[in-house]
Amino acid sequence: MRSHYCGDVNKSHVGQEVTLVGWVNRSRDLGGVVFLDLRDREGIVQVVYDPDLKESFEIASTLRAEFCVQVKGLVRARPDSQVNSGMKTGEIEVLGKELMIINKSKPLPLSMDDHQNNSEEQRLKYRYLDLRRPEMAERLVFRSKVSSFVRRFLDENGFLDIETPILTKATPEGARDYLVPSRTYKGQFFALPQSPQIFKQLLMMSGFDRYYQIVKCFRDEDLRADRQPEFTQIDIETSFMSAEQVMAKTEEMVRGLFTELLGVELGEFPRMSYQEAMLRYGSDKPDLRNPLELVDVADLVKSVEFAVFSGPANDVEGRVTALRIPTGASLSRKQIDNYTKYVNIYGAKGLAWMKVNDLSAGLDGIQSPVLKFLNEDIVNRIIKRTQAEAGDIILFGADKANVVAESMGALRIKAGEDFELLSGEWRPLWVVDFPMFEKAAGGLHAVHHPFTAPRGITPEELEANPADQISDAYDMVLNGCELGGGSVRIHDANMQAAVFRILSISDDEAEEKFGFLLEALRYGTPPHAGLAFGLDRIIMLMTGAQSIRDVMAFPKTTTAACPLTDAPGFANPVQLKELGVEVVVEESEKET
């Protein structure tokens, strides 16, 4: 039905007859001539119909937005005065000869010109219309190109594309599982995989030393802009490769991806330890475009008569940190109060501040509600350590170390954006030397997952002092987003059992959930390591989208619902009976 895509017609086609199909983006009748903007996935081209061709002109006069039509016409160059440099096809237009309406469109339930006026609910309910917009179509085309590059790169480097099961067994990976009841085993459930972690390790044990898969993963967790209940991973696993080799190969892939699709040279990725990242930026995925840094000042305020500072400063689990914002002395009290409310979201009880109005005036040049607790020597040392200058403001966080890192790290990001301090378009980073475990809910939890190997110690040494051990793990970060994370995996059954014990997974529970893995580890398991990238997140960053929902064809809402299909929905009672499942409605739910 077509000879060319609309967006592909250019000056090389001048004088040629073309057949185009697509949707009416806009139709304008200007002085007896109808100008038709015809759109398909590759772009928009202008088609002109004049009254000389009466039949086609009359049809063109009836067109409305989103009619599906076929156009036959002659490509001609636009006059220089009418060239549209903002369009890929702006140097040409098509003189319409024939026109056929393939299908008409009802009045649209959402705006195609200004999507800002559309609610997210509208956009997802009528997603098939939303996806016609050039911006959305370009993102999905770009997504396909990213997937194609990844497959080509990995194929050329000896990786095998191997599928793993979707119906599997629940594993402890940090989020709730989506469960699928079994009809043949009543009362029992499959789990949808949070990742193919165990299966890719089993593939390494099976001798497939370079595996990859672009795979769906499922996590039943609280959602936000960069999370979805189902998302796509670029999953990579290798045998007989060190962490250094895995990092080098995947960095090569990402650098090549940016060069080929964006024309961007990322250069060699710097490295930073987890500890340094948390100290300087309050985050294990710092945005290096932002020059603001956290500076510890606990040693300077240990003896002050201000418990908000001295308490955390003398607590082994506490932290007092300062954040200097250049020109921040211009902040009003209301703006500072807004920053205080912002850090409250992250558990901070308050936000102390100090304006450096005039360095030459000593304490008289300093404005702060906590100044009465600080002598001139302490103030001067704080200013020197933060490198504050006249016109700056210093914001303080004082609390448990984790609260300070989370709240001040978030404030650093917000202040950097508010003061327009971000520099450079792309700043990649490897974060390494993660701790094996972190304290949570009265016990220890794996920072990455329970199959991550510790670095350079025996199982006995790990169990003797688990809290201080470093994992052989690594995260790739770009502009404050974690693109992917990976690690060397445990390939020794005794080490895996030790990790399970540290995580309070009993021998019986370990055998029930992971007996097959522990057994497999006893049959000549090779050393192996891997990494998994978030495909949706990579595309979101590369296209400049604000949410991964804008780079997925059919995403869910932030409440994990699909307005398009009205999913989730109630199951047929006959199906539930076959599955041996009964829906129990709580009394509180009956009332609502």
Side-chain angles (χ1 to χ4, degrees), residues 62-222:
T62 68
L63 297 180
R64 292 200 309 268
E66 299 312 309
F67 276 34
C68 183
V69 300
Q70 182 189 60
V71 166
K72 294 183 180 181
L74 179 70
V75 181
R76 66 185 184 185
R78 292 197 197 189
D80 291 342
S81 61
Q82 295 179 19
V83 168
N84 184 347
S85 59
M87 288 178 64
K88 187 166 67 167
T89 61
E91 293 182 301
I92 58 91
E93 63 187 10
V94 176
L95 178 61
K97 300 294 186 181
E98 299 179 30
L99 177 61
M100 179 177 70
I101 297 177
I102 298 173
N103 216 327
K104 295 182 179 180
S105 172
K106 292 170 56 179
L108 299 177
L110 73 174
S111 171
M112 300 294 284
D113 296 324
D114 186 6
H115 78 276
Q116 301 293 344
N117 289 328
N118 302 323
S119 68
E120 183 175 66
E121 187 81 9
Q122 284 177 301
R123 291 181 61 201
L124 296 184
K125 182 175 180 61
Y126 299 99
R127 190 63 164 183
Y128 44 86
L129 296 177
D130 188 52
L131 290 177
R132 291 183 192 173
R133 293 191 298 109
E135 180 183 36
M136 294 300 295
E138 288 168 9
R139 288 172 182 164
L140 290 192
V141 170
F142 188 87
R143 183 185 181 108
S144 178
K145 291 177 179 177
V146 170
S147 297
S148 178
F149 176 91
V150 168
R151 292 185 189 280
R152 188 170 70 251
F153 178 90
L154 294 172
D155 288 342
E156 290 172 355
N157 281 273
F159 288 82
L160 302 175
D161 183 358
I162 304 176
E163 295 180 351
T164 53
I166 293 298
L167 295 176
T168 182
K169 198 168 188 176
T171 58
E173 296 189 47
R176 289 180 293 273
D177 291 299
Y178 278 102
L179 300 179
V180 180
S182 168
R183 180 181 59 80
T184 50
Y185 297 94
K186 286 185 172 56
Q188 299 185 48
F189 296 82
F190 294 102
L192 302 183
Q194 295 186 34
S195 81
Q197 182 62 48
I198 290 181
F199 287 105
K200 64 186 178 187
Q201 289 189 248
L202 291 172
L203 285 170
M204 297 303 104
M205 301 171 196
S206 305
F208 299 99
D209 61 313
R210 293 194 177 194
Y211 141 95
Y212 84 92
Q213 188 180 186
I214 297 180
V215 61
K216 283 289 186 186
C217 302
F218 306 87
R219 295 182 185 178
D220 184 7
E221 58 187 348
D222 295 333

Side-chain angles (χ1 to χ4, degrees), residues 367-545:
Q367 179 185 357
S368 172
V370 301
L371 191 60
K372 59 187 175 183
F373 301 109
L374 309 175
N375 61 42
E376 188 168 5
D377 178 59
I378 291 175
V379 170
N380 287 337
R381 293 171 71 184
I382 290 173
I383 290 173
K384 182 178 180 181
R385 186 170 295 182
T386 59
Q387 299 182 335
E389 299 177 355
D392 296 348
I393 191 171
I394 302 170
L395 305 175
F396 297 92
D399 210 309
K400 295 295 184 182
N402 62 322
V403 174
V404 170
E406 189 169 0
S407 59
M408 295 301 286
L411 181 59
R412 169 186 171 268
I413 294 170
K414 180 169 178 55
E417 293 172 348
D418 290 348
F419 283 81
E420 299 181 350
L421 297 175
L422 274 62
S423 61
E425 190 173 3
W426 303 106
R427 294 294 302 276
L429 173 72
W430 282 109
V431 178
V432 297
D433 299 339
F434 285 84
M436 269 290 288
F437 306 103
E438 60 185 353
K439 292 180 180 178
L444 291 177
H445 290 244
V447 169
H448 277 79
H449 54 65
F451 313 108
T452 300
R455 183 179 296 159
I457 59 171
T458 66
E460 293 74 21
E461 290 170 330
L462 179 67
E463 288 197 85
N465 186 22
D468 295 332
Q469 302 307 322
I470 298 298
S471 66
D472 209 348
Y474 35 84
D475 282 0
M476 184 187 289
V477 176
L478 180 65
N479 292 3
C481 288
E482 180 191 326
L483 294 189
S487 69
V488 173
R489 321 302 189 187
I490 296 170
H491 68 280
D492 175 75
N494 294 326
M495 179 65 79
Q496 188 65 75
V499 169
F500 284 159
R501 286 193 291 271
I502 291 167
L503 297 175
S504 299
I505 298 174
S506 67
D507 290 345
D508 289 342
E509 185 182 0
E511 185 61 35
E512 178 190 352
K513 291 184 175 179
F514 308 109
F516 63 96
L517 176 65
L518 294 172
E519 178 70 7
L521 287 170
R522 297 184 174 94
Y523 292 94
T525 297
H528 53 286
L531 188 146
F533 289 101
L535 177 65
D536 311 296
R537 196 170 299 172
I538 289 174
I539 296 165
M540 178 184 74
L541 283 174
M542 295 182 76
T543 61

Side-chain angles (χ1 to χ4, degrees), residues 292 322-333 335-336 339 351-357 367-369 386 388-396 415 419:
L292 301 181
L323 177 68
R324 169 218 170 195
I325 303 176
T327 71
S330 61
L331 287 171
S332 67
R333 185 55 189 266
Q335 289 171 312
I336 295 174
Y339 277 169
L351 184 68
W353 54 272
M354 178 188 295
K355 288 186 178 183
V356 183
N357 296 320
Q367 179 185 357
S368 172
T386 59
E389 299 177 355
D392 296 348
I393 191 171
I394 302 170
L395 305 175
F396 297 92
F419 283 81

Side-chain angles (χ1 to χ4, degrees), residues 20 52 58 85 118 241 245 283 302 357 467 477:
L20 309 174
D52 292 344
E58 288 179 353
S85 59
N118 302 323
M241 287 179 69
Q245 291 171 317
S283 170
K302 279 188 173 182
N357 296 320
V477 176

